């Protein structure tokens, strides 16, 4: 029996605004799509929060035994500066300002994005498709929408006809926006727009002469609208109807609203069963902004090279801190809050590292199975990681009591306890045991120091052959010895 068969997972669906029992389209399989980054600048901490939460969703679904296809795209074309389909393409603008090719911008910031995610121990998605890799499919989808009479061409650009769609569809179903409000909230740019109505959105934009990123199409040399790629790539890899679609709450409108309209027009069915949205992130209780200096890059947290947190924090501590808040609440990043998390994280890891040393007893003084059920219940209740963490701290309390001889577990209970703690801490939350890693590097230093001492003795005995052999063999392992006035030191390359 798979774990998912004995767990009743509930998911808060942004569409119905309620927690619903999770039932995948195909038994045992989950299709999940998360809107990825527009790669025109360094990975943003707010986005990292979103992706980190969906990493935990992915990890928990895998832990429950589901076969998960997780698709997270890379937007490398088509994302304009504002939501009114005007302004420059963000990547093209960066390329112009830095005097490099757009694809150099894309490459640089895709590498940065992957570097950040690796540092923070993310599992890679099953598929990471790009917008530029799916131009043909996007053109096909535009043709399909035009054939259904819901898009029109003006001067080489193609727009989705929101009013027409709304005759049978429901634009605003996700964000709760009324179409009249949408008109009010959309800026018309001094009559420059080709749109019939201001709430219509671009499926294809004709490129002007200076626009470098362009592809031929039946309408013009141009580029696809931003919302289109996600409809194309989600349905291409997950089917017309799939299980989970995620993203930051700022994407609800217009991005996800437009996605629903496009996909529904083509397939005739609502594309997504469960919409999930993460809340925003603040830094020192304020919105992050480069212009005010209240800003930090994810990798600067790890290096400590920043003026906002006071010191460096490990990736696992940052993960732990993120998971102490519910994903639907605002998360306030600050040095003090991270420092508190660091202490909690250290206590947790000390307890985890003590598990191997516990010896089984004839009796159990606490109910391991009921504790384990509580952990699952927390995650089953819309991935409630802060409650899971509170249960992990009950486990810490019990481990410490065992240490003091005040509590005990039978061999069977100890086995369940140990396996469950490891599963939730490492497999599900994705935390890293830096303490054991630290111990290993201490051990390595100890071994190298010992060899340095042996080499010193060899040199004192004028055994140059042995002295050189120690140096050369260490160098072959990328450990370089440096002889100086104060003795020999080493560096690991
Ligand atoms: Zn998207």
């Amino acid at each position: 029996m798979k774990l998912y068969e004995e767990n009743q997972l509930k998911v808060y669906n942004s569409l119905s605004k309620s927690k619903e029992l999770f039932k995948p389209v195909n038994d045992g399989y989950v299709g999940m799509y998360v809107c990825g980054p527009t790669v025109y600048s360094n990975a943003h901490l707010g986005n990292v929060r979103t992706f980190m939460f969906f990493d935990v969703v992915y990890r928990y679904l895998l832990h429950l035994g589901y076969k998960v296809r997780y698709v997270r795209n890379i937007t490398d074309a088509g994302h304009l500066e504002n939501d009114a389909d005007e302004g420059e393409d963000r990547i093209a603008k960066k390329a112009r300002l830095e005097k490099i090719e757009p694809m150099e911008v894309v490459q640089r910031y895709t590498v940065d994005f992957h570097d950040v995610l690796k540092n923070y121990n993310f599992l890679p998605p099953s598929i990471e498709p790009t917008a530029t890799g799916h131009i043909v499919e996007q053109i096909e989808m535009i043709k399909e929408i035009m054939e259904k009479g819901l898009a029109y061409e003006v001067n080489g650009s193609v727009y989705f006809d929101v009013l027409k769609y709304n005759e049978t569809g429901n634009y605003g179903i996700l964000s709760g926006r009324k179409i009249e409000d949408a008109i009010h909230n959309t800026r018309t740019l001094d009559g420059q727009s080709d749109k019939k109505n201001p709430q219509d959105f671009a499926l294809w934009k004709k490129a002007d002469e200076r626009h470098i990123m362009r592809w031929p199409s039946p309408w013009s040399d141009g580029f696809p609208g931003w919302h289109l790629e996600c409809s194309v790539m989600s349905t291409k890899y997950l089917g017309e109807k799939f299980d989970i679609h995620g993203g930051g709450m700022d994407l609800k409108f217009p991005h996800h609203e437009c996605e629903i309209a496009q996909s529904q027009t083509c397939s005739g069915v609502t594309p997504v069963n469960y919409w999930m949205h993460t809340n925003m992130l603040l830094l020192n209780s304020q919105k992050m902004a480069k212009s005010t200096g209240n800003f930090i890059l994810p990798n600067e947290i790890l290096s400590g090279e920043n003026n906002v947190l006071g010191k460096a924090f490990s990736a696992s501590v940052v993960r732990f801190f993120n998971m102490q808040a519910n994903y639907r609440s605002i998360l306030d990043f600050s040095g003090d809050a991270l420092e508190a998390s660091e202490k909690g994280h250290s206590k947790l890891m000390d307890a985890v590292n003590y598990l191997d040393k516990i010896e089984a007893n004839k009796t159990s003084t606490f109910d391991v199975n009921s504790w384990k059920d509580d952990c699952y219940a927390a995650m089953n209740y819309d991935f409630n990681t802060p409650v899971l963490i509170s249960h992990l701290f009950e486990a810490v309390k019990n481990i410490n009591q065992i240490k003091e001889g005040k509590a005990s577990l039978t061999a069977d209970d100890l086995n369940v306890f140990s396996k469950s703690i490891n599963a939730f801490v490492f497999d599900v939350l994705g935390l890293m045991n830096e303490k054991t890693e630290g111990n290993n590097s201490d051990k390595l230093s100890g071994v190298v120091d010992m060899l340095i001492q042996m080499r010193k003795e060899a040199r004192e005995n004028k055994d140059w052959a042995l002295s050189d052999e120690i140096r050369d063999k260490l160098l072959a392992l990328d450990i370089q010895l440096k002889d100086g006035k104060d003795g020999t030191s080493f560096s690991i390359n």
Side-chain angles (χ1 to χ4, degrees):
M1 196 160 159
K2 297 274 190 195
L3 273 174
Y4 62 74
E5 292 172 278
E6 49 194 74
N7 280 277
Q8 298 243 305
L9 176 61
K10 282 191 169 172
V11 172
Y12 181 87
N13 191 348
S14 308
L15 197 61
S16 66
K17 297 188 181 54
S18 63
K19 291 192 184 74
E20 295 175 12
L21 189 64
F22 180 69
K23 203 179 169 324
V25 177
N26 299 304
D27 273 351
Y29 293 84
V30 178
M32 176 164 90
Y33 187 91
V34 174
C35 291
T38 302
V39 280
Y40 72 109
S41 62
N42 292 98
H44 190 279
L45 189 58
N47 289 341
V48 169
R49 179 199 186 183
T50 296
F51 302 134
M52 195 179 280
F53 169 68
F54 286 105
D55 181 60
V56 170
V57 170
Y58 181 40
R59 285 166 174 274
Y60 187 58
L61 292 171
L62 291 174
H63 174 74
L64 290 181
Y66 284 113
K67 288 203 162 40
V68 188
R69 183 178 290 168
Y70 174 22
V71 183
R72 190 186 60 215
N73 68 307
I74 295 273
T75 296
D76 56 357
H79 195 173
L80 301 186
E81 285 178 292
N82 67 48
D83 286 336
D85 296 322
E86 301 298 339
E88 248 183 290
D89 178 298
R90 295 180 190 208
I91 287 160
K93 181 179 179 183
K94 186 84 173 186
R96 182 171 59 76
L97 293 176
E98 295 196 2
K99 295 193 170 58
I100 55 176
E101 280 288 319
M103 276 301 141
E104 281 183 275
V105 174
V106 165
Q107 180 69 13
R108 178 182 299 170
Y109 295 113
T110 303
V111 167
D112 173 74
F113 177 64
H114 287 153
D115 181 51
V116 167
L117 267 49
K118 194 160 173 273
N119 288 343
Y120 283 95
N121 200 29
F122 281 61
L123 295 179
S126 327
I127 306 176
E128 196 171 48
T130 61
T132 57
H134 295 75
I135 299 290
V136 173
E137 291 90 336
Q138 294 187 73
I139 291 174
E140 286 308 306
M141 189 176 254
I142 297 171
K143 284 186 193 163
E144 219 179 314
I145 296 171
M146 289 181 96
E147 276 163 25
K148 308 247 169 169
L150 289 186
Y152 56 91
E153 185 203 332
V154 180
N155 297 330
S157 293
V158 181
Y159 297 95
F160 189 94
D161 191 333
V162 172
L163 285 185
K164 189 111 186 262
Y165 170 77
N166 231 27
E167 288 170 11
T168 51
N170 184 359
Y171 187 80
I173 189 171
L174 180 67
S175 59
R177 295 211 189 193
K178 299 240 172 359
I179 205 149
E180 304 81 49
D181 299 343
I183 297 172
H184 272 297
N185 290 335
T186 315
R187 264 190 319 143
T188 348
L189 293 165
D190 307 326
Q192 291 167 6
S193 178
D194 292 328
K195 295 176 186 178
K196 277 205 273 189
N197 297 295
Q199 69 274 34
D200 293 349
F201 57 89
L203 298 173
W204 188 264
K205 287 283 279 182
K206 183 184 177 177
D208 62 28
E209 316 80 63
R210 56 185 193 131
H211 200 105
I212 319 170
M213 300 174 86
R214 55 169 72 214
W215 292 265
S217 81
W219 315 286
S220 63
D221 274 9
F223 54 94
W226 171 43
H227 314 306
L228 190 63
E229 63 175 83
C230 287
S231 277
V232 162
M233 297 190 280
S234 62
T235 52
K236 172 166 178 168
Y237 296 111
L238 300 173
E240 286 178 348
K241 199 173 186 64
F242 57 94
D243 302 300
I244 297 174
H245 193 312
M249 62 188 276
D250 54 322
L251 295 184
K252 256 192 206 176
F253 186 89
H255 186 57
H256 290 158
E257 204 69 74
C258 297
E259 248 187 89
I260 295 175
Q262 294 163 158
S263 299
Q264 175 125 12
T265 298
C266 292
S267 67
V269 295
T270 47
V272 177
N273 280 340
Y274 306 90
W275 282 93
M276 296 179 75
H277 292 96
T278 53
N279 209 323
M280 61 192 289
L281 177 141
L282 298 176
L283 180 60
N284 293 321
S285 309
Q286 282 166 5
K287 225 179 154 200
M288 276 219 297
K290 254 187 195 160
S291 53
T292 60
N294 192 46
F295 185 84
I296 191 165
L297 290 173
N299 278 340
E300 291 172 346
I301 300 172
L302 307 180
S303 68
E305 288 161 16
N306 64 78
N307 301 320
V308 281
L309 295 179
K311 59 175 255 196
F313 292 95
S314 79
S316 189
V317 167
V318 177
R319 267 191 96 99
F320 181 73
F321 170 71
N322 265 272
M323 294 309 142
Q324 282 180 302
N326 188 288
Y327 76 95
R328 293 198 288 122
S329 313
I330 292 174
L331 179 68
D332 191 2
F333 236 83
S334 71
D336 288 347
L338 277 163
E339 217 153 318
S341 287
E342 192 173 49
K343 290 194 183 110
H345 180 268
S346 174
K347 270 188 204 154
L348 177 63
M349 289 304 163
D350 283 343
V352 170
N353 288 331
Y354 191 75
L355 277 171
D356 286 346
K357 300 191 185 84
I358 297 177
E359 281 177 23
N361 200 289
K362 283 195 191 105
T363 52
S364 289
T365 53
F366 59 94
D367 188 342
V368 168
N369 284 309
S370 133
W371 166 83
K372 187 179 98 173
D373 290 346
D374 288 345
C375 292
Y376 279 101
M379 285 306 282
N380 290 340
Y381 195 67
D382 193 31
F383 309 94
N384 203 337
T385 53
V387 174
L388 170 66
I389 288 173
S390 73
H391 294 311
L392 290 174
F393 276 98
E394 282 165 39
V396 170
K397 202 174 100 194
N398 281 313
I399 293 168
N400 290 335
Q401 285 179 345
I402 292 173
K403 229 182 198 173
E404 294 162 14
K406 292 179 189 157
S408 63
L409 285 175
T410 64
D412 284 350
D413 279 351
L414 180 58
N415 186 31
V416 171
F417 189 54
S418 180
K419 271 191 183 154
S420 306
I421 290 177
N422 277 290
F424 281 109
V425 169
F426 301 115
D427 302 346
V428 174
L429 293 178
L431 302 180
M432 290 168 277
N433 198 342
E434 286 140 348
K435 295 208 169 174
T436 54
E437 281 157 22
N439 287 345
N440 281 338
S441 76
D442 287 353
K443 282 178 197 153
L444 178 65
S445 306
V447 170
V448 178
D449 284 341
M450 189 176 79
L451 287 164
I452 288 173
Q453 182 59 31
M454 286 168 72
R455 178 166 165 266
K456 190 174 162 225
E457 283 163 19
R459 285 159 75 108
E460 280 161 8
N461 296 331
K462 300 200 164 35
D463 187 348
W464 309 117
L466 179 60
S467 154
D468 289 350
E469 191 183 349
I470 291 172
R471 185 196 60 207
D472 295 344
K473 286 198 168 160
L474 282 172
L475 193 60
L477 296 167
D478 282 337
I479 298 169
Q480 191 173 14
L481 299 187
K482 287 171 203 150
D483 295 315
K485 275 188 291 182
D486 305 322
T488 305
S489 62
F490 71 94
S491 62
I492 301 172
N493 300 323

